[in-house]
Amino acid sequence: MACTSTSRADQATEPVRETLWTSPAIYSRRHRKSASALLAVHNQLARQRPLGGREAGFLELVEQARSAPAEAFTRVWTDPVAYYWVRIAYELLYAVLNETPATGVAAACARDYGAADTAAALERHLHEFRRFALGIAAAGGPGCRFDEPYRAGLPFALPGSLLYVAGRGEIAVYGIDGDTLYCRHGDTERHLPLRPAASADTGPRVEQCPVAGVDDYRCGLNAAAFNNLPGMEFTAPVQAAGPAFQEHRVELVQQTLQVLRDRAPEVFAQFADAVPYIALKPLRGGDYTNLAHSELPGTFIAAAIDHPHEMADTFIHEFHHNRLFFLEETGPFFDETHTQALEEQRYYSPWRDDLRSLHGIYHAVYVFIPVTRFWLRVLAEDPPDDSLRAYAGERIARFLLQLRIGIAQIDRHAELTPYGEALFRQMAGDVAELEGLARAAGVDDRAAALACGADGRIAPAGASSVRADVLEHLARFAPRQQRTHLESRLAP
């Protein structure tokens, strides 16, 4: 979806450093854009009727949503899943109106729907809007009743809340009236109170996801919110872990948020405003460790590591992927006239064993700057735990060497837009500043290489020192034509 001239003008009035790291305006801009996209989809469907009248139910539900109290609509429409839904709706509608094939996540979504063609996929996707009508009703908006039920796999999360319908199998939801959800499970009709209560019932029931709280912030461990997302295969490890996995790690997340508040307060303030829920998974679950997805802004999936400081590192990392997704809504970072910065996977990244795109390296540079800043603050507190002190120094030394490589890769290979260049130059300046702070703190990249395991134990890892480990990775995985230049950038 194209960015608006208003958003560009807003961004231009902010200092680059503020835009990059602290401005809250990027969140409201994206939420306004999401609401505008919903209205655009509604208006195009109402005007052109590409489904021959089969869009009528959706149009009626959108009108009901627009009449809901602003607080109820906003709560639901700022749920990360709402952005995912409207983005797919926008892309499927564009494909139908222009008689072109769907691409990317929209195409994956259509395949998961089992749709015969793009129009059928769009019709099925419009049907999914019922989940948001249910969320608005649960948030205090007008009740809703469906002639054709909304079918969802269990667990099923109500958008805009931390409530979900627990159980197994599939339910057919007919609506919400007052504080009751009406559904059918198999051959049995159910009237479920929208009030979590202890129950021995193994059938469908409304529960609240586990919640970790610090100060006034409540972070849901909402595994159910990652269910019923066609086209999003990466959510499988969360579902496989089950709700008990989240429940057993509330204390870990609470401790992590406390570390975040105390050692990265400017990040914690934004995190509390922008992240309503997350989900955890086992470290070895799936083919990734942690993941933030551009189509689900405001949330992420994190591997559970039994160490609050390591988890705080992860939370800062994944939160800043989210923030950079929001920044990209203002305008593109790359001028792709000659280089396909998003598609070409041919550049060495010090954080990965596989070659990456320049876009991926740009993201990595961005997220590792605040993570390094966090570890510098941990080290400055002179923690009494010797292993934590050593690990903080190791992390700082490693990340600064890796950041030096990432900066060099972007500097040498990327064609940036003026917007992308301004942000990148600020990042390069931030890295130089962090290097100065690290020298003053006595950080030494000849220190032993360390790693933190899933059990929270910090132990030696890799080569004999941080520098040796980074250089060994460079020698193994960097293409020869990139390696010499990068080795020169790592000179002591």
Side-chain angles (χ1 to χ4, degrees):
M1 288 174 277
C3 53
T4 65
S5 58
T6 301
S7 66
R8 287 180 183 273
D10 289 346
Q11 185 273 328
T13 64
E14 299 169 351
V16 174
R17 189 184 186 101
E18 180 183 346
T19 296
L20 195 62
W21 301 117
T22 60
S23 171
I26 60 171
Y27 308 120
S28 58
R29 282 200 293 266
R30 193 170 204 186
H31 293 323
R32 289 198 304 269
K33 184 174 179 179
S34 179
S36 297
L38 174 62
L39 186 60
V41 168
H42 170 275
N43 291 346
Q44 285 290 334
L45 286 167
R47 184 161 49 246
Q48 302 202 38
R49 301 282 176 161
L51 301 181
R54 298 191 303 280
E55 57 278 282
F58 165 76
L59 297 174
E60 182 179 342
L61 287 176
V62 172
E63 290 299 330
Q64 290 179 14
R66 293 174 66 183
S67 68
E71 182 180 352
F73 177 80
T74 300
R75 189 186 307 173
V76 170
W77 211 246
T78 53
D79 188 296
V81 173
Y83 182 89
Y84 152 79
W85 181 89
V86 79
R87 183 65 177 255
I88 301 303
Y90 194 98
E91 293 185 7
L92 288 174
L93 178 58
Y94 178 90
V96 169
L97 294 178
N98 291 277
E99 299 182 349
T100 58
T103 60
V105 177
C109 187
R111 286 194 296 271
D112 282 358
Y113 286 148
D117 53 35
T118 308
L122 175 60
E123 181 180 355
R124 177 70 179 80
H125 193 66
L126 295 179
H127 182 84
E128 287 289 308
F129 187 78
R130 286 165 168 78
R131 81 164 76 180
F132 303 106
L134 293 167
I136 290 170
C144 57
R145 285 295 189 110
F146 310 139
D147 293 333
E148 182 183 354
Y150 173 65
R151 299 185 184 278
L154 296 175
F156 161 60
L158 287 166
S161 77
L162 299 179
L163 300 177
Y164 71 101
V165 182
R168 296 182 178 180
E170 183 182 88
I171 56 169
V173 183
Y174 288 87
I176 288 178
D177 188 7
D179 63 353
T180 303
L181 182 145
Y182 296 88
C183 65
R184 178 179 290 275
H185 184 245
D187 295 328
T188 305
E189 288 191 6
R190 297 270 188 159
H191 299 172
L192 306 181
L194 292 176
R195 298 183 304 276
S199 173
D201 189 355
T202 58
R205 59 207 177 276
V206 174
E207 295 187 356
Q208 178 179 280
C209 72
V211 176
V214 171
D215 298 337
D216 295 330
Y217 174 49
R218 298 293 178 267
C219 179
L221 305 187
N222 197 359
F226 292 85
N227 200 15
N228 298 293
L229 296 179
M232 299 287 199
E233 295 181 359
F234 66 86
T235 64
V238 172
Q239 305 311 317
F245 190 84
Q246 315 298 320
E247 186 71 52
H248 294 160
R249 286 158 181 82
V250 170
E251 181 63 25
L252 172 63
V253 174
Q254 193 137 320
Q255 293 172 356
T256 298
L257 293 173
Q258 289 168 349
V259 170
L260 194 61
R261 178 198 60 192
D262 296 341
R263 301 291 175 264
E266 73 290 346
V267 178
F268 176 77
Q270 296 181 67
F271 194 102
D273 283 341
V275 181
Y277 57 77
I278 63 170
L280 302 181
K281 71 170 189 65
L283 178 61
R284 302 304 176 194
D287 59 358
Y288 63 91
T289 305
N290 310 297
L291 192 147
H293 198 288
S294 61
E295 306 296 359
L296 290 172
T299 190
F300 56 85
I301 295 172
I305 305 291
D306 195 18
H307 195 301
H309 286 78
E310 182 72 4
M311 291 297 288
D313 174 314
T314 296
F315 280 26
I316 294 168
H317 180 128
E318 298 305 326
F319 169 76
H320 280 87
H321 275 306
N322 271 274
R323 184 171 173 88
L324 200 60
F325 295 147
F326 281 78
L327 283 168
E328 287 184 273
E329 291 293 314
T330 298
F333 301 148
F334 294 91
D335 179 350
E336 296 199 277
T337 305
H338 302 104
T339 304
Q340 299 302 305
L342 275 72
E343 287 80 21
E344 292 181 348
Q345 309 280 330
R346 59 189 185 91
Y347 299 96
Y348 171 72
S349 167
W351 297 281
R352 296 283 295 258
D353 294 349
D354 54 339
L355 297 182
R356 300 292 286 163
S357 69
L358 291 172
H359 180 264
I361 296 172
Y362 195 101
H363 257 266
V365 169
Y366 179 73
V367 302
F368 275 98
I369 290 171
V371 170
T372 306
R373 189 176 291 121
F374 160 74
W375 285 113
L376 275 163
R377 288 177 178 168
V378 172
L379 189 64
E381 292 294 322
D382 193 22
D385 183 333
D386 289 343
S387 65
L388 178 58
R389 188 185 311 113
Y391 191 59
E394 199 272 8
R395 297 288 87 182
I396 297 163
R398 179 180 298 275
F399 296 158
L400 285 174
L401 288 174
Q402 292 172 325
L403 281 165
R404 200 182 295 180
I405 293 172
I407 291 285
Q409 289 290 69
I410 298 297
D411 212 18
R412 187 178 182 89
H413 300 290
E415 297 180 46
L416 299 171
T417 64
Y419 176 51
E421 179 75 18
L423 297 184
F424 175 66
R425 290 304 158 198
Q426 178 63 55
M427 287 191 279
D430 289 332
V431 171
E433 179 184 324
L434 292 173
E435 288 182 324
L437 292 172
R439 285 193 298 272
V443 171
D444 189 345
D445 60 26
R446 294 170 298 179
L450 302 171
C452 184
D455 60 359
R457 294 182 183 178
I458 295 169
S464 59
S465 72
V466 174
R467 170 171 284 274
D469 206 21
V470 172
L471 287 172
E472 180 183 311
H473 189 275
L474 177 65
R476 288 182 62 194
F477 298 109
R480 185 172 56 184
Q481 63 272 27
Q482 296 175 30
R483 188 185 313 145
T484 302
H485 170 69
L486 295 175
E487 286 174 342
S488 69
R489 296 297 292 266
L490 292 182

